[in-house]
Amino acid sequence: MKGVALLPDTASTFAQQVDLLFWFLTAVTVFFTLLIAALVLYFAYRYRRGSTASRAGAKETDLRLEIGWSMIPLTIGLIVFVWAAKLYADAYGPPPDNALEIFVIGKQWMWHLQHPNGIRENNELHIPAGRPVKLTMISQDVIHSFFVPAFRIKRDVLPGKYNTVWFTPTKPGKYHLFCAEYCGTQHSRMIGWVYVMEPAEYEKWLASGGEARPGALASGAGTMAGVPTASLVQAGEQLYKQLRCNACHGAADGQRGPSHYGLFGKKVKLRDGTVVVADEAYIRESILRPLAKVVDGYEPIMPSYEGLLDEERTLQLVAYIKSLKKPLQTAEVKP
Ligand code: CUA
C-alpha cells in the first residue's frame, strides 16, 4: 500500500475517457469558484462602507452582462451533457463484434462468472488485455451491482432481466470487483478480483482450464480447477435434448413450434402483430414465460419453465440456441 489513492487505477479505454470528462468538470468548477470568490472579495473590499471608490455611472441593468452569464453556463452545461451522454451510450450500448462474452450471475453473496468455453469462476474474473469484454449479467435473487472502479463501469444486476455492459481492459493487473448495491447482511463481502492478463498468458490460462492462476490464491474458491467442464453451448445442447425442446423445435419451422436455427438476432413477428428482435432477453423470456410473446402463426401451447431452471441452466440454453445457425442445405423449407 502506498498511501491513499486519490483515483482508482485507470485500466480500461473507458476509464481514460471518463477521467478526461472528470478533469474537465473539475477544471471548470475550480476556475469559476476561484473567479467568483476573487470578485466577491475584491468588490466587498472596494465598495465597503466608507470607501471613497467612485459609484458614478452605476446602471440598473446591462443586457450584455445578462446574456453573458446565461449563455456561457448554458454552453458549458450542454457540452458536458453531450459529452457525458456519448460516453454513457458507448458503454451501455452494443459492444464491438469481437468482444469476449462472459456471463455473470449475482447471488447472495457471491459473483459467479462463466466463460464461453465452460470455465467457471467465483469472485474472480480472468480476462486478456486489449480485447473488448462483454458481460451479460443476471441475478438469482435480489438486485446487485457489478462495479469495477479501475474500469469505471458499474451496472445493476437485476433478477429476471439480462443487463449488459462492455469495456476494453488496457493494463494487466489485479483490480477490485465490488457489489455496489446493498443486497443483504453480507453485501460488503460480495467482492472479488478481476485479473487482466497479457493475451499470451491468458491463452495459457484458458488452455489449462483456469488452473494457471498467477496472483490468485492456490486454495481459493475460484475456478473448479481440474473438473473438465463442458462449454456453455455443450451444456446447453445436453439440456436442450434432456428437456426435449427438439420435439417441437426442429431444424425448420414446424407445426408445433418455430425453429431455433438462425433465430438469434432475427426479427420475429408475434401474434399481436408486433415485431421483436430475438436477443438474449427474448430467448430467456420465451423459455421461462413462453406465453408472454407468442410467435405469429403458432398456438400458445408451450409449457413454462419458470421455477424449473435456475439462471445458470437458462444461460446454457440461451447460449446453445444462440449458437444454432441456419442449416445451409435446407434453405427456406416453409413458405
Ligand atoms: Cu450483492 Cu450487494
Side-chain angles (χ1 to χ4, degrees):
M1 245 346 245
K2 16 179 193 4
V4 178
L6 281 181
L7 278 179
D9 262 325
T10 303
S12 76
T13 48
F14 190 57
Q16 293 159 3
Q17 295 166 17
V18 170
D19 286 3
L20 204 59
L21 175 61
F22 172 78
W23 288 121
F24 175 78
L25 282 168
T26 307
V28 167
T29 308
V30 168
F31 174 77
F32 281 102
T33 305
L34 291 181
L35 177 73
I36 291 166
L39 288 176
V40 165
L41 291 174
Y42 171 71
F43 287 132
Y45 174 76
R46 185 172 159 87
Y47 296 107
R48 71 192 184 279
R49 189 154 63 156
S51 124
T52 55
S54 162
R55 282 141 172 110
K59 284 206 238 166
E60 280 282 294
T61 116
D62 187 324
L63 192 62
R64 288 165 308 169
L65 194 61
E66 290 189 26
I67 290 178
W69 75 41
S70 304
M71 295 311 287
I72 293 171
L74 178 68
T75 309
I76 295 174
L78 285 178
I79 289 171
V80 170
F81 169 70
V82 171
W83 187 350
K86 184 168 180 316
L87 279 184
Y88 183 88
D90 281 352
Y92 296 103
D97 286 339
N98 65 336
L100 174 68
E101 203 169 354
I102 308 274
F103 291 97
V104 180
I105 297 173
K107 48 187 160 192
Q108 287 168 323
W109 287 274
M110 60 173 286
W111 294 107
H112 181 71
L113 302 112
Q114 197 145 11
H115 294 253
N117 70 350
I119 295 183
R120 298 137 172 231
E121 304 188 78
N122 288 335
N123 300 326
E124 282 184 359
L125 173 62
H126 291 75
I127 43 176
R131 180 170 169 198
V133 175
K134 176 194 177 192
L135 303 178
T136 301
M137 312 187 287
I138 195 159
S139 164
Q140 195 116 284
D141 35 53
V142 300
I143 301 177
H144 304 277
S145 185
F146 192 94
F147 181 31
V148 183
F151 300 160
R152 311 289 189 275
I153 57 141
K154 181 164 77 173
R155 185 108 224 233
D156 278 4
V157 178
L158 307 174
K161 178 178 183 290
Y162 289 135
N163 254 354
T164 62
V165 70
W166 72 274
F167 53 88
T168 306
T170 49
K171 210 168 74 179
K174 181 183 173 187
Y175 306 104
H176 272 297
L177 159 65
F178 295 102
C179 177
E181 181 74 49
Y182 181 70
C183 56
T185 46
Q186 304 221 40
H187 154 73
S188 64
R189 301 181 68 182
M190 192 166 161
I191 50 177
W193 294 101
V194 178
Y195 295 91
V196 177
M197 307 161 91
E198 297 287 359
E201 205 187 334
Y202 175 73
E203 288 306 322
K204 249 188 265 167
W205 180 84
L206 270 189
S208 76
E211 275 187 278
R213 304 191 296 138
L217 290 170
S219 61
T223 37
M224 297 177 185
V227 181
T229 43
S231 77
L232 265 186
V233 171
Q234 287 165 341
E237 183 177 13
Q238 231 169 32
L239 199 54
Y240 195 86
K241 286 187 182 142
Q242 196 184 323
L243 297 170
R244 301 195 27 81
C245 306
N246 47 353
C248 297
H249 302 280
D253 287 342
Q255 289 284 309
R256 294 161 66 84
S259 172
H260 291 154
Y261 285 82
L263 171 65
F264 186 67
K266 203 174 79 173
K267 288 200 174 103
V268 179
K269 192 169 174 224
L270 305 180
R271 278 187 128 202
D272 63 8
T274 52
V275 174
V276 295
V277 174
D279 55 7
E280 287 100 341
Y282 166 81
I283 297 174
R284 177 180 179 277
E285 183 184 56
S286 297
I287 296 168
L288 300 179
R289 288 181 299 281
L291 306 193
K293 295 193 174 72
V294 178
V295 178
D296 189 38
Y298 291 93
E299 294 301 314
I301 52 171
M302 178 169 156
S304 159
Y305 287 86
E306 193 152 39
L308 300 176
L309 290 172
D310 58 16
E311 292 300 346
E312 188 173 346
R313 298 210 292 164
T314 309
L315 270 180
Q316 293 168 348
L317 271 184
V318 171
Y320 175 62
I321 291 171
K322 272 174 75 176
S323 76
L324 293 172
K325 304 281 181 272
K326 208 176 180 82
L328 290 171
Q329 61 276 29
T330 53
E332 304 309 316
V333 182
K334 245 198 121 194

